[in-house]
Amino acid sequence: MKCIEAILGRRSCRSFKKQPVEAEKIKQMLEAAFYAPSPANKQPWEFIVVNNPQYNARLKETSEITKEKLAARSGWQWIPAFNIEFLLQAPTLIVVVGDPARNGAEQFLDVPSPGYLEACSAAIQNMSLAAHSMDLGTLWFSLYEKADARQIFGISEDKDPVGIICVGYPERLGKAPFRKGIEDKVRYID
């Protein structure tokens, strides 16, 4: 699969088959993550691969509570109806953990940027594209409180659980969501 094809064809998966993911495919996803760019090549990421459904259940339980809090705070009507059953279906979770101490020089700017967070996000994208190229589905899950993720997955307080990637063989994939065009989102300076 060509790179552009993978980028344009990747979708978030919310329905997984009960088929486990081969260890070799998970390894290839992780290798793709390791090649993401990072400020000063600090590689500020760690990964926790979870193949035990008890962790999925604990994550779903705490995330249901998080949904209630978010709905109350935001007033967004769609949140209570957002179905997170896919957490119980995903045969593998990959927890992406960032190390805020491993920023690059951008931490010394007048307005510092979180380089570790940006690098971890690039690693997540690399994993998602690698998975898609191997006929796997992924979903970048972020509907959790960081304290809950730290407790569930044994992550120390000095680390940041940036995202949880649900991985598995897709039962079905949705259609591409609407995207604004280049003319709406790009400005050229000559």
Side-chain angles (χ1 to χ4, degrees), residues 86-147:
F86 57 81
L87 288 173
L88 301 178
Q89 297 173 354
T92 300
L93 301 176
I94 301 176
V95 184
V96 181
V97 181
D99 185 349
R102 298 192 60 77
N103 276 315
E106 74 285 348
Q107 66 186 310
F108 304 110
L109 294 171
D110 290 341
V111 180
S113 65
Y116 82 92
L117 179 60
E118 296 156 352
C120 288
S121 297
I124 290 170
Q125 179 72 355
N126 278 12
M127 281 194 294
S128 297
L129 292 172
H132 178 63
S133 76
M134 295 182 285
D135 298 320
L136 294 170
T138 58
L139 182 126
W140 180 345
F141 188 68
S142 60
L143 195 65
Y144 58 88
E145 291 285 3
K146 290 181 186 264

Side-chain angles (χ1 to χ4, degrees), residues 10-26:
R10 188 213 57 80
R11 302 283 175 271
S12 293
C13 182
R14 292 180 178 86
S15 180
F16 296 95
K17 295 180 180 178
K18 293 185 186 222
Q19 179 180 353
V21 179
E22 298 85 348
E24 183 57 34
K25 288 188 176 183
I26 296 297

Side-chain angles (χ1 to χ4, degrees), residues 2-186:
K2 295 197 184 279
C3 180
I4 295 295
E5 184 181 347
I7 291 169
L8 299 179
R10 188 213 57 80
R11 302 283 175 271
S12 293
C13 182
R14 292 180 178 86
S15 180
F16 296 95
K17 295 180 180 178
K18 293 185 186 222
Q19 179 180 353
V21 179
E22 298 85 348
E24 183 57 34
K25 288 188 176 183
I26 296 297
K27 182 179 176 189
Q28 287 179 9
M29 288 176 61
L30 292 167
E31 287 174 347
F34 297 162
Y35 278 84
S38 65
N41 196 27
K42 294 282 193 168
Q43 302 173 46
W45 45 64
E46 299 171 12
F47 304 92
I48 302 169
V49 179
V50 181
N51 292 309
N52 183 332
Q54 292 177 352
Y55 289 87
N56 300 52
R58 289 175 64 197
L59 179 62
K60 182 182 180 293
E61 181 182 323
T62 60
S63 293
E64 290 290 358
I65 295 166
T66 300
K67 277 177 39 179
E68 292 173 17
K69 285 193 291 189
L70 289 175
R73 291 176 185 170
S74 69
W76 294 350
Q77 300 299 312
W78 65 267
I79 292 177
F82 182 63
N83 186 346
I84 58 173
E85 289 297 314
F86 57 81
L87 288 173
L88 301 178
Q89 297 173 354
T92 300
L93 301 176
I94 301 176
V95 184
V96 181
V97 181
D99 185 349
R102 298 192 60 77
N103 276 315
E106 74 285 348
Q107 66 186 310
F108 304 110
L109 294 171
D110 290 341
V111 180
S113 65
Y116 82 92
L117 179 60
E118 296 156 352
C120 288
S121 297
I124 290 170
Q125 179 72 355
N126 278 12
M127 281 194 294
S128 297
L129 292 172
H132 178 63
S133 76
M134 295 182 285
D135 298 320
L136 294 170
T138 58
L139 182 126
W140 180 345
F141 188 68
S142 60
L143 195 65
Y144 58 88
E145 291 285 3
K146 290 181 186 264
D148 292 336
R150 285 187 183 99
Q151 195 275 324
I152 293 167
F153 301 107
I155 301 167
S156 65
E157 287 294 321
D158 62 327
K159 302 290 174 70
D160 181 4
V162 172
I164 300 170
I165 311 309
C166 302
V167 184
Y169 285 95
E171 186 69 49
R172 66 183 174 281
L173 290 173
K175 294 181 180 182
F178 169 76
R179 300 285 188 212
K180 292 186 177 183
I182 290 174
E183 62 280 354
D184 294 324
K185 299 305 256 179
V186 177

